[in-house]
Amino acid sequence: MKWTQTLIPTLREAPADAEILSHKLLLRAGLIRKLAGGVYTFLPLGLRALRKVENIIREEMNRAGAIEVLMPALQPKEIWEQSGRAETAKDVLFKVRDGSNREWFLSPTAEEVITTLAANEINSYRQLPKNFYQVSTKFRDEIRPRFGLMRAKEFIMKDAYSFDTTDEGAMASYKKMYDAYTRIFARCGLQAFPVEADTGVIGGNYSHEFMVPAETGENEVVFCEACGYAANIEKATSGIPKTAAREIGAAIEKFATPGVVTIEALSKEPYKVPANRQIKTLVYIADSKPVIILIRGDDQLNETKFAAKTGAVQIRPATPEEIIILLGASPGSLGAVNLDFFNHSEDSRKILLETRKTRGWENVKIFADERLQGANEMTTGANEDGFHFKNVSIERDIKVSAWFDLRTVSAGEPCGKCGKVLKIRRAIEVGHVFKLGTKYTEKFNATFLDVDGQRKLSVMGCYGIGVTRTLQAVIEQCNDKDGVIWPLSVAPYQVCITPLAVAPESEAMKLAENFYAELTAKGIEVILDDRDDRPGVKFKDADLVGFPIRIGLGEKSLAKGEVEIKPRNAAVQFVKTENAIEAVLELINQKI
Ligand code: ATP
Ligand code: MG
């Protein structure tokens, strides 16, 4: 390809709304352009790199025995109602109506479509296992599209769905995908590692995310260098001990704490109740029902764990008004000891009880973090402004409905597996594998006739890779101050030939054309920078776009019978003109 034939609109400066380096480089290197927030056009070079990533994915999916299909982006609303996700995934669904007012959803993923297909087309154990995949455009109404391709409203995803006759079979399919993912990211030149993950609204019971370490990543990963434990913070646990119970639990006692509304204030003079002897009381609305959550004063609630453990789909903190109806007090003095408004006047108590009843909120659930199990001599709010209870023995004084691990792990805690110190780092999620079980096959009645003549539900897994996000993750990981440093495997072109004179009869241009023809004939992807521009501009652009190898053809070295070969990530070499092709091929073979 000749530079002047294609479109590579490089920029000296990135537009102001590009916040992270990879987003800036995507724009500056002329790889993509924004049409609207979270919606991008791929320019020729960006598209070439994207196709490389897609092809690596296809090769590895095929190698793992998956078969390619292509499902529609336009999906009838009814199948989403059948799965229940019209409601649970409603926040991200793009909805459209056709001329006859029928509602459709633009595919954010395709469990519903593939399970409908499986229900119709798979009938016998002889047809199983099967793993279907596609590479296609997905749509998600992200509230905050940002960081370019990282969180877009329209993006390309590879999604795969496996169907097996048994749970063990499903596990084997999962393992195949897990291994394929490991190979895919390595081949893209990415350092990615798997971590245990929450399953979210997709459901299922076993899941890993593939993470690329990056300061700008939107995920936090908890990991242990000693034993290799790694989990998304939304799921991570640690070996931190439970709260120590003290020998004699004294009787509960109310005491005045005027103006105290924070854990911190209570931990100071004159009260001096350490945060780890306080119970933090939070009120949430989970699927329209209030829930009281208790965690230790020095811990943070993990909302994802809360939803996952309790099976809640939609959760949000309760409003101050809702909290008054439930506990008769304002945040800062809340507790779960006295839930019956006994500290209120008879009239006020009556009204509060009545309001609670009208809302159907009488039997509110209290979920407590496991770290509080057995704790006594704790302090908590008395549901009365300016008062707290002390000597609270949680199991004696509070009617806990269920205990769960609800807290967020912090760096420095002991690893739950080996006891060594846990660390936390930020990362980009590029892929996600789930074992789904029969969640969708039940809903769509996707059954098969087994060898024993019984009709059974097939067992599913689903596996996603954000193709466009992966491409940007490569840039986020592979760059320097001058621009992108493409790994050979995903570079838009492997070689850029830069003649410093471009007149057709010049020696540099003639040689450039020869090299171009020879390398292209050998299957190398070459771009020839035939722009009549200053050398500085051409070299800068080649570095910015990040071609793995640049061949410089200048008057001075040509006079010595030499050309300049510059790997993007290594020092320049001067090579005799007649050895140049060989030198380039060698570099490519070494997979520089
Ligand atoms: P996230 O937690 O980042 O929102 P997710 O867990 O909702 O992602 P999945 O449903 O697991 O995403 O989708 C599979 C893959 O698709 C993700 O691992 C990610 O790489 C990619 N992906 C998801 N949402 C987006 C998006 N808005 N823009 C670009 N890629 C995305
Ligand atoms: Mg995910």
Side-chain angles (χ1 to χ4, degrees), residues 38 85 92 108-109 111 138-142 145-146 148-159 181 185 198-199 202 209-210 218-219 232 234 428-434 463-470:
R85 289 206 300 178
V92 298
T109 161
E111 282 78 9
K138 303 293 189 297
F139 301 86
R140 290 189 186 183
D141 192 5
E142 301 282 357
R146 59 183 194 148
L149 307 175
M150 289 290 186
R151 185 163 299 285
K153 282 186 183 268
E154 177 180 328
F155 58 98
I156 296 180
M157 190 203 288
K158 183 286 300 175
D159 42 332
Y181 276 34
F185 296 121
D198 174 58
T199 51
I202 294 215
E209 285 163 337
F210 284 76
E218 293 186 282
N219 293 271
N232 191 313
E234 295 175 342
I428 301 162
E429 176 199 327
V430 284
H432 201 161
V433 291
F434 297 84
Y463 319 93
I465 292 181
V467 184
T468 38
R469 187 186 282 185
T470 299

Side-chain angles (χ1 to χ4, degrees), residues 254-528:
K254 189 155 103 175
F255 67 111
T257 51
V260 169
V261 289
T262 61
I263 301 276
E264 210 204 335
L266 198 59
S267 69
K268 290 198 172 132
E269 293 281 357
Y271 314 104
K272 288 180 79 171
V273 182
N276 63 15
R277 303 306 304 185
Q278 298 187 42
I279 301 171
K280 187 150 57 181
T281 307
L282 304 168
V283 184
Y284 269 73
I285 305 293
D287 299 334
S288 328
K289 289 213 169 66
V291 176
I292 296 174
I293 299 168
L294 307 179
I295 63 168
R296 220 167 83 162
D298 55 342
D299 279 337
Q300 298 302 325
L301 172 70
N302 188 314
E303 290 190 352
T304 310
K305 279 188 184 177
F306 164 42
K309 299 280 164 65
T310 63
V313 175
Q314 242 126 26
I315 58 167
R316 62 164 175 88
T319 62
E321 188 232 344
E322 288 166 333
I323 294 176
I324 294 269
I325 294 170
L326 197 70
L327 296 177
S330 303
S333 310
L334 303 181
V337 174
N338 167 14
L339 294 186
D340 292 319
F341 311 123
F342 284 121
N343 50 336
H344 287 257
S345 70
E346 208 33 54
D347 284 352
S348 148
R349 180 166 182 259
K350 235 184 179 158
I351 294 169
L352 283 165
L353 284 173
E354 202 50 44
T355 322
R356 195 152 85 180
K357 203 165 159 195
T358 4
R359 293 232 179 171
W361 285 5
E362 294 115 307
N363 295 317
V364 58
K365 289 231 157 49
I366 303 178
F367 295 139
D369 179 57
E370 284 166 358
R371 204 177 177 200
L372 285 171
Q373 227 161 2
N376 56 10
E377 291 192 19
M378 303 295 284
T379 298
T380 190
N383 288 337
E384 194 174 335
D385 290 347
F387 288 93
H388 280 79
F389 284 124
K390 63 178 163 190
N391 304 333
V392 175
S393 168
I394 191 158
E395 273 155 276
R396 181 192 64 193
D397 302 321
I398 297 177
K399 289 196 193 73
V400 174
S401 321
W403 298 90
F404 297 112
D405 164 32
L406 297 173
R407 64 184 291 278
T408 303
V409 168
S410 297
E413 290 177 15
C415 173
K417 291 228 159 107
C418 75
K420 295 274 162 41
V421 177
L422 289 174
K423 293 186 175 171
I424 296 184
R425 71 173 145 195
R426 301 200 71 83
I428 301 162
E429 176 199 327
V430 284
H432 201 161
V433 291
F434 297 84
K435 198 167 150 286
L436 287 172
T438 54
K439 172 173 166 165
Y440 292 89
T441 50
E442 258 167 55
K443 296 259 167 65
F444 290 88
N445 198 27
T447 59
F448 64 96
L449 217 49
D450 207 353
V451 67
D452 57 9
Q454 302 273 317
R455 194 154 274 287
K456 293 179 186 161
L457 289 168
S458 40
V459 189
M460 263 180 96
C462 74
Y463 319 93
I465 292 181
V467 184
T468 38
R469 187 186 282 185
T470 299
L471 179 73
Q472 187 170 341
V474 171
I475 300 178
E476 189 67 26
Q477 218 172 50
C478 309
N479 63 71
D480 67 7
K481 64 175 186 359
D482 296 320
V484 185
I485 306 179
W486 285 111
L488 259 182
S489 58
V490 291
Y493 291 94
Q494 296 158 314
V495 176
C496 175
I497 304 177
T498 315
L500 299 185
V502 294
E505 68 285 358
S506 70
E507 197 193 339
M509 193 58 177
K510 278 194 204 146
L511 201 55
E513 295 274 11
N514 282 345
F515 283 170
Y516 180 81
E518 246 184 276
L519 285 168
T520 308
K522 292 204 161 15
I524 309 297
E525 295 162 319
V526 191
I527 186 157
L528 198 167

Side-chain angles (χ1 to χ4, degrees), residues 196-240:
E196 293 175 19
D198 174 58
T199 51
V201 298
I202 294 215
N205 47 15
Y206 191 71
S207 157
H208 286 88
E209 285 163 337
F210 284 76
M211 293 288 190
V212 172
E215 272 312 306
T216 54
E218 293 186 282
N219 293 271
E220 282 185 289
V221 172
V222 176
F223 66 101
C224 172
E225 278 165 340
C227 74
Y229 171 75
N232 191 313
I233 198 150
E234 295 175 342
K235 164 100 182 172
T237 56
S238 78
I240 202 154

Side-chain angles (χ1 to χ4, degrees), residues 74 96-104:
L74 206 54
V96 290
R97 280 183 192 279
D98 64 15
S100 41
N101 214 23
R102 179 168 179 198
E103 206 175 350
W104 304 76

